[in-house]
Amino acid sequence: MEDTTILDVKNLAISFKTFEGDVKAVRGVEFSLKKGETLAIVGESGSGKSVSTKAINRLLPKKNTMIDSGEILFEGKDLLKCSEKEMQKIRGNDIAMIFQDPMTSLNPTMQVGKQIAEPVRTHKGCTKEEAKERALELMELVGIHSPKQSYKSYPHQFSGGMRQRVMIAIALACEPKILIADEPTTALDVTIQAQILDLMNKLKKELDTSIIFITHDLGVVAQMADRVAVMYAGQIVEVGTADEIFYNPMHPYTWGLLASMPTLDVEETNLYTIPGSPPNLLHPPEGDAFAARNEYALAIDFYEEPELFQVSDTHYAKTWLLHPDAPDVTPPEEVIRRKEKFEMLHLGKGQSARVGGEAIGSHS
């Protein structure tokens, strides 16, 4: 992986106008993406994952959306300042997206082969025959059987897994520099999900594409990500390498996500759940947005927002528990017990399982 930053999001804040007021959906989000890297953005529904990434391709509704602040620098160019004409050249060509449900993204009246060929003709100026040849190559690349026969098929004739492969082929048609995958395997069964994830990892290596992978499934994160950003209530509350997030998590919200992840342990009958629900972002709370749900909350959490404390060169967490004067807190037993299980189930294939030899939760 090259140590070249291809995307840099700085202080991004986005609001939506509603009849009740302005919903502060994204609040000061910052993250970067390196060439050839997979960054997973994880969090509950409504945490701001999809809104943040749709802003990259300027796909948010214009009528009620306000970009309150921020920059989205793609190869040094601020996408928020680009005209619509400039964005049309970037979308699909330099930055492509795979959405959660292919049936709502694919044209039901158009042959799948032509849908794959369309971005090639639009962005590359190819002839009809050249675009068709490229589409057939892509269909073979993503594992669609008998491309010449399948080219003339319609979306309803494909299974869910095959439709998602079509979406990946469309996204890869112009060999984009960045691929944004917005929960692309949520609607698929676990066997097909595994095939799609393996395919994306394979294509990433072959094409050297950078990927932003949006999900709420930490099992998927363990298989896909080089780095992980954890989002809550419109903010990134922890960011680090996959190993750091899984084996040395620092934020109580990350602890809750890890503890609530199901495992294959048959003795566990009750799944841990994070108490309460996310705050109403019409009126974001003072202090730490997670404080009301946090059993480890300190008094300061309820009136002063924590800074992003540095744990290592690559690991940061937005929690007062990392302040030098904070009491030493041990993560929930569920997080500690899952440590070795994560290693066996998800990170056992050639990845290191510990960060600097530290135990989970140490922040001395």
Side-chain angles (χ1 to χ4, degrees):
M1 186 193 307
E2 295 182 25
D3 191 20
T4 304
T5 299
I6 190 171
L7 183 75
D8 201 4
V9 177
K10 298 181 177 182
N11 193 31
L12 182 63
I14 301 171
S15 300
F16 293 112
K17 284 186 174 294
T18 71
F19 290 116
E20 297 181 66
D22 294 347
V23 176
K24 308 292 184 184
V26 174
R27 305 185 296 141
V29 161
E30 298 196 349
F31 62 85
S32 62
L33 181 69
K34 292 183 173 63
K35 186 172 175 58
E37 175 185 50
T38 297
L39 171 69
I41 302 179
V42 63
E44 293 170 285
S45 296
S47 59
K49 308 184 299 296
S50 294
V51 173
S52 298
T53 50
K54 283 180 180 176
I56 295 170
N57 252 350
R58 302 266 299 274
L59 291 175
L60 295 170
K62 295 178 182 178
K63 187 176 180 180
N64 64 338
T65 304
M66 296 180 294
I67 306 293
D68 299 317
S69 68
E71 295 177 307
I72 300 174
L73 302 176
F74 169 62
E75 297 183 327
K77 185 177 186 177
D78 189 356
L79 298 180
L80 295 179
K81 293 180 180 177
C82 289
S83 66
E84 179 58 26
K85 190 172 182 179
E86 289 175 307
M87 286 306 303
Q88 286 173 3
K89 293 179 181 178
I90 292 171
R91 288 191 204 107
N93 189 34
D94 293 318
I95 305 174
M97 289 197 74
I98 304 171
F99 296 99
Q100 181 174 338
D101 183 6
M103 280 305 279
T104 60
S105 303
L106 295 172
N107 185 336
T109 67
M110 190 175 179
Q111 294 173 354
V112 294
K114 289 183 178 179
Q115 295 190 58
I116 297 170
E118 187 175 38
V120 181
R121 294 193 69 188
T122 300
H123 292 291
K124 300 300 183 184
C126 296
T127 65
K128 189 175 180 180
E129 282 305 312
E130 288 171 338
K132 182 176 180 178
E133 283 303 310
R134 174 63 177 153
L136 291 171
E137 288 174 11
L138 287 161
M139 292 173 79
E140 188 170 352
L141 182 69
V142 301
I144 295 174
H145 304 299
S146 306
K148 288 185 179 179
Q149 287 74 31
S150 299
Y151 186 94
K152 296 181 179 180
S153 299
Y154 291 88
H156 74 273
Q157 295 175 296
F158 278 18
S159 67
M162 282 295 127
R163 285 194 292 264
Q164 198 58 284
R165 288 171 190 263
V166 172
M167 288 297 299
I168 294 172
I170 292 171
L172 294 174
C174 298
E175 297 187 6
K177 296 173 182 176
I178 297 175
L179 182 63
I180 301 172
D182 191 352
E183 306 218 29
T185 61
T186 300
L188 305 177
D189 65 56
V190 290
T191 305
I192 303 302
Q193 173 177 289
Q195 293 175 7
I196 295 296
L197 295 179
D198 286 345
L199 171 64
M200 291 186 68
N201 275 327
K202 174 174 172 282
L203 295 174
K204 170 195 163 185
K205 292 173 184 175
E206 290 181 2
L207 303 176
D208 199 27
T209 300
S210 304
I211 297 175
I212 298 176
F213 201 98
I214 306 163
T215 185
H216 61 270
D217 186 340
L218 285 168
V220 170
V221 171
Q223 295 176 57
M224 292 292 295
D226 298 305
R227 285 192 305 124
V228 182
V230 180
M231 282 196 75
Y232 181 77
Q235 297 179 322
I236 290 178
V237 297
E238 187 162 8
V239 63
T241 67
D243 278 358
E244 286 169 333
I245 297 300
F246 275 88
Y247 296 106
N248 198 28
M250 292 297 175
H251 198 285
Y253 179 60
T254 311
W255 295 348
L257 291 178
L258 291 167
S260 60
M261 179 181 169
T263 72
L264 298 179
D265 191 336
V266 294
E267 296 179 3
E268 295 180 18
T269 55
N270 296 318
L271 196 61
Y272 175 85
T273 57
I274 302 173
S277 56
N280 183 352
L281 293 183
L282 272 168
H283 308 287
E286 293 185 20
D288 186 345
F290 189 60
R293 306 175 72 187
N294 181 9
E295 59 182 294
Y296 306 96
L298 308 174
I300 193 173
D301 281 314
F302 292 92
Y303 64 86
E304 188 170 340
E305 187 175 317
E307 60 183 274
L308 204 61
F309 288 91
Q310 183 172 358
V311 182
S312 74
D313 288 344
T314 55
H315 190 186
Y316 297 81
K318 193 179 177 70
T319 171
W320 285 117
L321 292 176
L322 289 175
H323 191 279
D325 297 332
D328 192 30
V329 172
T330 302
E333 183 64 27
E334 290 89 345
V335 174
I336 298 172
R337 285 192 293 111
R338 278 163 169 74
K339 178 179 177 180
E340 294 304 323
K341 294 174 188 176
F342 288 140
E343 182 176 3
M344 289 186 296
L345 293 173
H346 304 294
L347 295 179
K349 296 183 179 179
Q351 295 189 38
S352 61
R354 292 172 179 78
V355 181
E358 296 179 348
I360 268 187
S362 65
H363 56 263
S364 55

